[in-house]
Amino acid sequence: MTADSASERRFERALASLRGLSVGDALGSQFFVPANYPLLKQRALPPGPWQWTDDTEMACSVLAVLAAHHRVDQDALARSFAEHHDFDRGYGPAVNRMLRLVREGGDWRELSSALFNGQGSWGNGSAMRIAPLGAWYADDPEQATHQAEISSYPTHQHREAVVGAMAVAAAASLAAVPDGPPSPEELLDGVIALVPRSAVGAGLRRARDMLDYQDAGTVAAVLGNGRRTSAHDTVPFALWSAARSLGDYEEAFWVTAQAGGDVDTTCAIVGGIVASGGGGAPPPAWLTQTEEPPAWLGLPSR
Ligand SMILES: [Mg+2]
């Protein structure tokens, strides 16, 4: 295999994950609309088209930087986040302000480290965008974890946010192995072995212990469902749900969405991981209802 064909395959895998992420994000965000609540119980689809949010917009920057640099370049990533930042895509207020200041010439290193009284953000924003990077490094989960760590800093410097991104990338990398998806236990054991001690890591060990639970609502009540929008309140449940439904996008989506909380983000994370394996692509009818990725990413239209 030549270097070019290897990077083409990385791009294809990452794009498959991005498609899964954007369907999860766009369809998940439909369930913030009160009129759509009854549909959730019936597993019925709201009318389209479904618009994606900040999760997809940022994931497109991750993929664009990987395609251009074949690794995470933090300056290029911060620049892409700032240049493509669309205020109306549901960003949190701190990131909205920060990306505007970066666009106006501010230094992301200072701005990102100064957030939340110098602790940095522990939000789920660096985890929500990173599954395609895991798919890119499907042959190397350690490198996926390392590059995800680097990718968090331009916006999220608190340790929990960094580890949340590492965990999601590790899961997307492990889910994409060519010889079929791992078992739920193998996936979570693999991720736990790759992430450092943290609240996210503790949540993942709890998630591992709860893989045989059938009621996602109970599991989400223990692990969190993103309602607090922190990495540790979001990533353990998302990985619990993804691990149990690798290869079955629809099941993964509905179980995740029905648990409530930060639904666009939990479904973006789960969708990006499940679709990373290639065996868990979103249904074509769902994909056609989902807004196309932004034109600046330069993809051929579907
Ligand atoms: Mg969002």
Side-chain angles (χ1 to χ4, degrees):
M1 192 162 58
T2 65
D4 273 359
S5 73
S7 53
E8 270 169 34
R9 286 176 56 181
R10 287 183 190 283
F11 186 84
E12 286 306 314
R13 279 198 310 259
L15 182 57
S17 170
L18 177 68
R19 299 254 190 230
L21 184 158
S22 74
V23 172
D25 172 22
L27 179 53
S29 71
Q30 288 291 314
F31 295 107
F32 288 122
V33 180
N36 289 337
Y37 292 167
L39 299 175
L40 197 50
K41 232 180 190 161
Q42 305 155 20
R43 297 192 170 198
L45 296 173
W50 310 321
Q51 282 202 322
W52 41 257
T53 75
D54 54 340
D55 309 54
T56 298
E57 188 159 83
M58 294 192 113
C60 289
S61 282
V62 171
L63 181 54
V65 166
L66 284 172
H69 298 269
H70 300 273
R71 64 179 174 84
V72 170
D73 178 304
Q74 290 177 314
D75 293 309
L77 190 59
R79 200 160 49 238
S80 184
F81 287 152
E83 277 172 9
H84 300 118
H85 168 229
D86 175 352
F87 188 87
D88 293 327
R89 294 286 182 174
Y91 289 83
V95 173
N96 262 333
R97 180 173 177 276
M98 198 193 90
L99 292 180
R100 177 174 60 76
L101 292 173
V102 171
R103 202 162 48 243
E104 291 169 357
D107 180 355
W108 66 261
R109 286 176 171 79
E110 285 171 22
L111 292 164
S112 179
S113 64
L115 289 180
F116 299 97
N117 298 318
Q119 296 182 74
S121 171
W122 72 14
N124 53 28
S126 57
M128 74 187 184
R129 66 191 183 214
I130 209 62
L133 178 144
W136 180 278
Y137 290 108
D139 53 344
D140 192 347
E142 285 186 19
Q143 189 60 230
T145 312
H146 174 58
Q147 293 291 324
E149 181 176 17
I150 295 169
S151 79
S152 185
Y153 287 90
T155 52
H156 293 74
Q157 299 209 358
H158 191 284
R159 195 67 192 149
E160 294 302 334
V162 176
V163 177
M166 294 166 76
V168 173
S173 173
L174 292 164
V177 290
D179 44 349
S183 70
E185 293 79 10
E186 285 168 343
L187 185 82
L188 290 191
D189 284 342
V191 173
I192 288 165
L194 283 163
V195 300
R197 183 176 166 79
S198 54
V200 168
L204 290 170
R205 287 191 295 276
R206 276 177 129 175
R208 168 69 172 84
D209 281 345
M210 299 184 86
L211 280 172
D212 62 335
Y213 274 57
Q214 294 309 313
D215 176 18
T218 302
V219 176
V222 174
L223 301 178
N225 60 4
R227 192 170 53 82
R228 295 184 179 86
T229 68
S230 66
H232 38 293
D233 186 51
T234 305
V235 172
F237 173 72
L239 265 58
W240 175 89
S241 186
R244 285 164 45 100
S245 297
L246 293 177
D248 187 345
Y249 190 96
E250 288 184 61
E251 178 69 14
F253 176 83
W254 290 119
V255 168
T256 309
Q258 285 169 349
D262 193 5
V263 180
D264 60 322
T265 289
T266 52
C267 291
I269 293 172
V270 170
I273 294 170
V274 172
S276 173
W286 294 21
L287 203 50
T288 49
Q289 290 299 322
T290 299
E291 181 187 8
E292 290 268 11
W296 57 259
L297 193 55
L299 300 177
S301 65
R302 285 191 299 261

